[in-house]
C-alpha cells in the first residue's frame, strides 16, 4: 500500500517544482501539499475506504485548482498550463472515475463529475461521462434530456442531440417530458438554421453541418415529432403543452393552426380544450374604433371579449356537464372578477357573471366543495348575508358529512347573529362522524363564551371534558376560560378537579404553569407541583419540559438551585435515545449561559 501511495506522491513532484519555479507556490506550500496528498492517498488505500474519502480528496484538488487560477490572475502568468492545470484536471477525473466505479448507483456522484466538467470546459471527458452515465442509468428521462441539451447547446450538434432523444424514446416511449424537449429542440434547430441563412444570405448547404431542404426549414421534421408525440401521449394537457412551446417561435403559425385543429378534433370531450378555446377569445384583436385611446372604449372591448369567452364556456357546458368543466368556468369568472378595473360597468358585469355561474353550477349539482367558500365570502363582502346562509344550507345538504361545510355555515350564522345556531349545530352533530367533530365543538364553546352566560358555558365545558374526542383540547380551553372569567382561584380549582382525569395534553400543564407565573407573587411550591405532574405524564418524551423545570429552580426567587442536579439525574434516567442527547446539549448551553 505504501508503495502505491509513494508512487502517486512522487508523480506530483515535477508539477510542484514547476509551480515553485514560476512563483505560483512557495516551497513551504509545496511541502504542505505533499503532506496533505499523502494523507488523502492513504485514506483511499484503506480496506474500508468510504465515499466521503474520495469526495474530500476531490474537493481538495478542486480548491487547489481554484487557488492556482486566482494566483495566475494576480501575478499575470498564463504559461505552462498543460504541465500544471492539465495534470491536476486529469487527476480529478481519475478520482471521479475511481469513485464512480465503486458507487455506480450514486447519481449525485455522476452529476458532480458532470458539473465539474462543464465548469472547466472538459468537453471530451464530458461526452464520455454522459455515454457511461446513460448506460448505467437509462431509466431516468431527465438524464437523457440533460445529455441531449448539452450536445445541442454546447457542442452545437443537432444530429447528436436528435440521436440521443431517439434512443431515449426507445427506453421511455411514454415520457411526455422527453417528447416536449425533443419537440422544443427541433424547433430551436430550425430557428437557428433559418437565422443563419437569413444573416449570411446563403443557402443552408453553404452554411451548416448538413444539407436541409426547404421542407425541413419550414418545420417538416418538427411536424413528424409532433405527430409521433400525440400518437403516443394522449390527453389535452400534453397537446396544449406542445402548442405553448410552438407559440414561442415566430415561424410556427401554420403549425399552431394544425395543433389547434387536432386539439379540437381529438379532445373535444376534454374540459381543458374548451378552457383553452375560451381563454383564447381574450387574446382576439379588438374591433376598430374611432376612440381607441379612451378608457371607456377599452373597457367595452374587454367586456365584449369576456362575453365571447363566456359563450364558449356555455357552449361547452351544453355537451360537457362535468364538475371539472364547471370548475374551470368558475375559475375563469373569478379571475376576471379579481382583476382591477376603473370601469364600474365592467366590474358589475364581472360580478353578475361570477354569481350567475356559481348559481348555475350549484343548481346542476356540480359545484366543487371548495367553491362554496369563495361564493359565501363574495356574498358576505356584498352584504348579502342571508343569501350566504341559504347557500351554505344547500351546501351542507349536498355535503352532509363535511365538517368544513358545517363549520363555515355555523361561522356565518354566528356572524349574522342568527337565532338558530344551536339548532344547526345539533343537526351537524347527527351527520358528522364523531371522531371528526372537534372543530365544531371548538367553534361552539367559543360562541358560548361570547353569547351565553357563564353557567351555560361551564356546563358545556364539563360535558366536553368527558367526551373522548374533545377531552384533551377542552381541558386546556376550560382552564383558560376559568382563569379569564373568574380568576386564579377558579383556574386552580379547575386544575385540581381535572389533574387526575386522563388523558391529558402537555398544554394543559404548561397553561397552568403560565397562569401561576402570571401572578404577582407566584409560589414555587405550586410550580413544582405542576411540573412534577407534567413530567409524570410527558417526562419520557419531552426534554424541554425538564429544562424548563431546571430553569425555574434557577430563576425563581423561591427556587432551589441545589435541586437541579437531582432533576438532571432523573431526566437522564427517564429520557431515551435522541431525547437524552438533546437534553444534555441544551443543559450544557444553559449552564454556560447560552440558553
Amino acid at each position: 500500500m505504501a508503495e502505491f501511495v509513494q508512487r502517486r506522491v512522487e508523480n506530483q513532484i515535477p508539477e510542484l517544482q514547476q509551480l515553485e519555479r514560476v512563483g505560483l507556490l512557495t516551497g513551504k506550500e509545496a511541502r504542505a501539499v505533499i503532506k496533505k496528498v499523502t494523507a488523502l492517498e492513504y485514506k483511499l488505500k484503506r480496506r474500508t475506504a468510504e465515499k466521503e474519502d474520495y469526495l474530500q480528496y476531490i474537493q481538495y484538488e478542486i480548491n487547489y485548482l481554484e487557488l492556482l487560477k486566482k494566483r495566475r490572475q494576480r501575478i499575470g502568468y498564463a504559461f505552462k498550463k498543460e504541465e500544471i492545470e492539465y495534470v491536476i484536471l486529469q487527476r480529478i477525473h481519475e478520482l471521479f472515475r475511481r469513485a464512480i466505479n465503486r458507487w455506480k448507483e450514486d447519481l449525485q456522484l455522476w452529476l458532480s463529475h458532470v458539473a465539474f466538467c462543464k465548469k472547466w470546459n472538459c468537453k471530451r471527458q464530458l461526452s464520455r461521462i454522459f455515454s457511461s452515465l446513460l448506460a448505467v442509468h437509462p431509466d431516468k428521462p431527465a438524464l437523457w434530456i440533460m445529455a441531449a441539451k448539452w450536445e445541442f447547446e454546447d457542442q452545437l450538434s443537432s444530429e447528436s442531440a436528435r440521436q440521443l432523444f431517439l434512443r431515449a424514446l426507445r427506453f421511455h416511449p411514454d415520457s411526455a417530458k422527453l417528447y416536449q424537449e425533443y419537440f422544443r429542440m427541433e424547433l430551436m434547430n430550425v430557428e437557428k438554421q433559418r437565422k443563419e441563412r437569413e444573416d449570411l444570405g446563403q443557402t443552408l448547404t453553404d452554411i451548416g453541418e448538413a444539407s436541409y431542404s426547404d421542407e425541413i426549414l419550414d418545420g417538416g421534421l418538427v411536424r413528424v415529432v409532433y405527430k409521433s408525440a400525440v400518437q403516443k401521449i394522449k390527453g389535452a394537457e400534453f397537446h396544449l403543452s406542445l402548442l405553448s412551446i410552438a407559440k414561442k417561435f415566430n415561424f410556427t403559425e401554420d403549425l399552431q393552426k394544425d395543433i389547434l385543429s387536432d386539439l379540437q378534433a381529438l379532445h373535444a370531450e376534454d374540459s381543458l380544450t374548451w378552457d383553452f378555446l375560451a381563454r383564447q377569445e381574450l387574446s382576439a384583436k379588438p374591433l376598430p374604433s374611432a376612440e381607441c385611446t379612451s378608457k371607456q372604449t377599452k373597457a367595452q372591448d374587454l367586456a365584449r371579449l369576456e362575453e365571447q369567452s363566456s359563450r364558449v364556456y356555455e357552449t361547452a357546458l351544453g355537451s360537457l356537464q362535468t364538475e371539472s368543466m364547471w370548475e374551470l368556468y368558475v375559475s375563469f369568472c373569478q379571475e376576471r372578477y379579481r382583476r382591477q378595473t376603473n370601469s364600474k360597468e365592467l366590474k358589475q358585469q364581472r360580478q353578475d357573471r361570477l354569481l350567475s355561474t356559481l348559481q348555475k353550477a350549484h343548481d346542476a349539482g356540480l359545484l366543487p366543495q371548495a367553491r362554496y367558500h369563495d361564493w359565501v365570502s363574495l356574498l358576505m363582502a356584498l352584504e348579502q348575508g342571508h343569501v350566504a346562509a341559504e347557500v351554505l344550507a344547500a351546501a351542507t345538504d349536498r355535503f352532509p358529512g363535511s365538517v368544513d361545510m358545517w363549520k363555515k355555515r355555523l361561522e356565518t350564522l354566528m356572524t349574522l347573529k342568527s337565532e338558530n345556531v344551536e339548532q344547526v349545530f345539533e343537526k351537524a352533530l347527527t351527520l358528522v362522524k364523531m371522531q371528526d367533530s372537534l372543530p365544531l365543538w371548538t367553534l361552539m364553546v367559543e360562541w358560548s363564551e361570547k353569547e351565553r352566560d357563564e353557567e351555560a358555558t361551564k356546563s358545556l365545558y364539563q360535558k366536553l371534558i368527558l367526551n373522548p374526542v374533545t377531552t384533551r383540547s377542552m381541558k386546556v380551553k376550560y382552564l383558560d376560560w376559568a382563569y379569564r372569567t373568574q380568576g386564579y382561584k377558579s383556574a386552580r380549582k379547575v386544575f385540581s378537579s381535572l389533574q387526575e382525569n386522563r388523558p391529558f395534553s402537555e398544554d394543559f400543564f404548561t397553561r397552568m404553569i403560565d397562569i401561576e407565573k402570571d401572578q404577582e407573587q407566584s409560589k414555587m411550591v405550586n410550580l413544582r407541583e405542576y411540573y412534577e405532574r407534567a413530567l409524570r405524564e410527558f417526562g419520557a418524551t419531552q426534554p424541554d419540559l425538564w429544562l424548563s423545570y431546571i430553569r425555574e429552580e434557577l430563576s425563581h426567587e423561591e427556587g432551589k438551585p441545589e435541586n437541579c442536579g437531582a432533576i438532571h439525574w432523573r431526566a437522564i434516567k427517564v429520557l431515551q435515545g435522541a431525547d437524552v442527547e438533546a437534553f444534555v446539549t441544551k443543559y450544557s448551553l444553559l449552564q454556560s449561559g447560552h440558553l
Side-chain angles (χ1 to χ4, degrees), residues 340-392:
Q340 295 295 325
T341 178
N342 293 323
S343 171
K344 292 182 179 179
E345 294 81 4
L346 180 58
K347 184 71 175 177
Q348 185 64 44
Q349 186 181 36
R350 288 171 172 174
Q351 177 184 304
D352 293 344
R353 183 183 294 115
L354 175 56
L355 290 172
S356 173
T357 304
L358 288 165
Q359 184 65 56
K360 289 177 182 177
H362 168 70
D363 292 342
L366 294 170
L367 183 65
Q369 183 174 330
R371 290 298 176 184
Y372 283 96
H373 289 274
D374 300 330
W375 192 3
V376 170
S377 297
L378 175 60
L379 291 169
M380 294 297 286
L382 297 173
E383 298 182 353
Q384 298 182 25
H386 294 293
V387 179
E390 292 174 4
V391 167
L392 284 167

Side-chain angles (χ1 to χ4, degrees), residues 157-169:
S157 175
S158 58
E159 185 59 34
S160 297
R162 185 177 298 114
Q163 291 303 318
L164 279 169
F165 274 121
L166 292 173
R167 285 177 57 202
L169 288 169

Side-chain angles (χ1 to χ4, degrees), residues 149-382:
K149 280 187 174 182
W150 179 76
E151 289 288 352
F152 182 74
E153 296 172 4
D154 295 276
Q155 296 292 84
L156 305 179
S157 175
S158 58
E159 185 59 34
S160 297
R162 185 177 298 114
Q163 291 303 318
L164 279 169
F165 274 121
L166 292 173
R167 285 177 57 202
L169 288 169
R170 293 192 196 105
F171 284 98
H172 307 281
D174 300 322
S175 172
K177 186 65 176 175
L178 270 174
Y179 274 112
Q180 289 165 351
E181 293 302 326
Y182 185 19
F183 183 65
R184 192 195 313 275
M185 188 277 292
E186 291 294 359
L187 284 167
M188 291 171 66
N189 184 48
V190 173
E191 182 181 55
K192 182 184 73 171
Q193 298 294 347
R194 289 166 68 96
K195 190 173 185 300
E196 285 178 352
R197 187 171 69 174
E198 181 182 340
D199 291 345
L200 298 178
Q202 301 174 5
T203 64
L204 193 60
T205 307
D206 298 329
I207 304 168
E209 57 182 296
S211 176
Y212 287 84
S213 66
D214 288 338
E215 183 183 2
I216 298 297
L217 277 176
D218 291 337
L221 187 54
V222 173
R223 290 174 183 275
V224 171
V225 176
Y226 158 70
K227 291 293 183 181
S228 176
V230 295
Q231 285 176 3
K232 286 287 186 181
I233 312 296
K234 306 299 181 183
E237 184 177 4
F238 175 71
H239 215 118
L240 287 168
S241 72
L242 296 183
L243 181 58
S244 67
I245 293 170
K247 282 185 174 183
K248 296 176 181 177
F249 300 86
N250 57 16
F251 58 88
T252 60
E253 291 84 358
D254 292 338
L255 176 62
Q256 290 178 43
K257 291 177 183 177
D258 291 344
I259 295 176
L260 190 56
S261 176
D262 290 345
L263 176 68
Q264 293 174 270
L266 297 173
H267 306 291
E269 298 301 315
D270 195 311
S271 56
L272 289 175
T273 300
W274 289 100
D275 183 55
F276 174 79
L277 294 173
R279 291 175 184 272
Q280 280 286 96
E281 295 294 329
L282 294 176
S283 59
K285 293 182 179 180
L287 294 173
S289 172
E291 304 175 7
C292 58
T293 57
S294 72
K295 292 183 179 179
Q296 182 180 1
T297 303
K298 290 181 180 179
Q300 290 172 351
D301 287 337
L302 190 54
R304 178 179 55 79
L305 294 176
E306 290 179 4
E307 184 62 32
Q308 289 175 0
S309 295
S310 182
R311 287 198 204 101
V312 175
Y313 281 114
E314 296 288 351
T315 301
L317 288 164
S319 59
L320 196 63
Q321 281 282 345
T322 63
E323 185 173 294
S324 62
M325 190 69 249
W326 279 109
E327 165 66 19
L328 291 169
Y329 188 16
V330 170
S331 179
F332 168 79
C333 294
Q334 198 166 49
E335 286 174 21
R336 303 313 297 178
Y337 175 73
R338 288 173 177 172
R339 290 180 69 88
Q340 295 295 325
T341 178
N342 293 323
S343 171
K344 292 182 179 179
E345 294 81 4
L346 180 58
K347 184 71 175 177
Q348 185 64 44
Q349 186 181 36
R350 288 171 172 174
Q351 177 184 304
D352 293 344
R353 183 183 294 115
L354 175 56
L355 290 172
S356 173
T357 304
L358 288 165
Q359 184 65 56
K360 289 177 182 177
H362 168 70
D363 292 342
L366 294 170
L367 183 65
Q369 183 174 330
R371 290 298 176 184
Y372 283 96
H373 289 274
D374 300 330
W375 192 3
V376 170
S377 297
L378 175 60
L379 291 169
M380 294 297 286
L382 297 173

Side-chain angles (χ1 to χ4, degrees), residues 23-24 62 73 77 93 95 128 154 217 226 238 247 268 311 339 356 408 449 455 505 558 571 578 587:
L24 291 174
I62 291 174
Q73 293 173 347
Y77 185 79
H93 288 310
L95 286 168
R128 290 198 294 264
D154 295 276
L217 277 176
Y226 158 70
F238 175 71
K247 282 185 174 183
R311 287 198 204 101
R339 290 180 69 88
S356 173
K408 185 68 176 177
E449 289 178 10
E455 281 302 317
S505 68
E558 296 178 6
Y587 182 72

Side-chain angles (χ1 to χ4, degrees), residues 16-167:
L16 294 169
Q17 290 173 341
Q18 188 75 265
L19 287 167
E20 282 190 67
R21 279 196 297 271
V22 300
L24 291 174
L25 282 183
T26 64
K28 183 178 180 180
E29 288 172 334
R31 290 190 292 274
V33 170
I34 291 174
K35 184 177 180 181
K36 182 65 176 179
V37 167
T38 302
L40 290 169
E41 285 287 351
Y42 270 113
K43 279 188 175 182
L44 299 191
K45 287 300 177 182
R46 292 183 303 185
R47 185 174 297 176
T48 58
E50 300 290 338
K51 181 167 53 180
E52 287 69 24
D53 298 331
Y54 282 92
L55 295 176
Q56 186 181 6
Y57 197 170
I58 290 168
Q59 190 60 56
Y60 174 77
E61 291 285 9
I62 291 174
N63 294 342
Y64 180 33
L65 200 57
E66 293 279 5
L67 175 65
L68 295 181
K69 181 181 178 181
K70 290 179 181 178
R71 289 194 175 178
R72 279 184 179 276
Q73 293 173 347
R74 189 179 65 191
I75 68 176
Y77 185 79
F79 306 102
K80 302 287 185 181
K81 288 191 175 182
E82 286 194 7
E83 293 91 335
I84 299 172
E85 277 85 348
Y86 179 77
V87 175
I88 300 172
L89 285 170
Q90 293 306 308
R91 197 157 58 238
I92 294 172
H93 288 310
E94 176 61 23
L95 286 168
F96 268 118
R97 279 193 291 271
R98 289 165 65 187
I100 286 171
N101 285 337
R102 295 189 65 171
W103 295 282
K104 286 189 170 84
E105 72 288 347
D106 191 331
L107 187 57
Q108 190 57 50
L109 201 55
W110 287 95
L111 296 178
S112 297
H113 197 185
V114 168
F116 172 77
C117 291
K118 285 184 176 180
K119 182 175 180 180
W120 292 94
N121 201 28
C122 304
K123 293 184 178 180
R124 185 180 302 174
Q125 286 85 351
L126 189 51
S127 183
R128 290 198 294 264
I129 291 166
F130 273 128
S131 179
S132 301
L133 173 57
L134 294 175
V136 176
H137 294 281
D139 58 324
K140 296 177 176 61
L143 299 180
W144 290 96
I145 294 170
M146 182 192 298
K149 280 187 174 182
W150 179 76
E151 289 288 352
F152 182 74
E153 296 172 4
D154 295 276
Q155 296 292 84
L156 305 179
S157 175
S158 58
E159 185 59 34
S160 297
R162 185 177 298 114
Q163 291 303 318
L164 279 169
F165 274 121
L166 292 173
R167 285 177 57 202

Side-chain angles (χ1 to χ4, degrees), residues 5 360 442-443 550:
V5 172
K360 289 177 182 177
T442 302
L443 187 63
I550 291 172

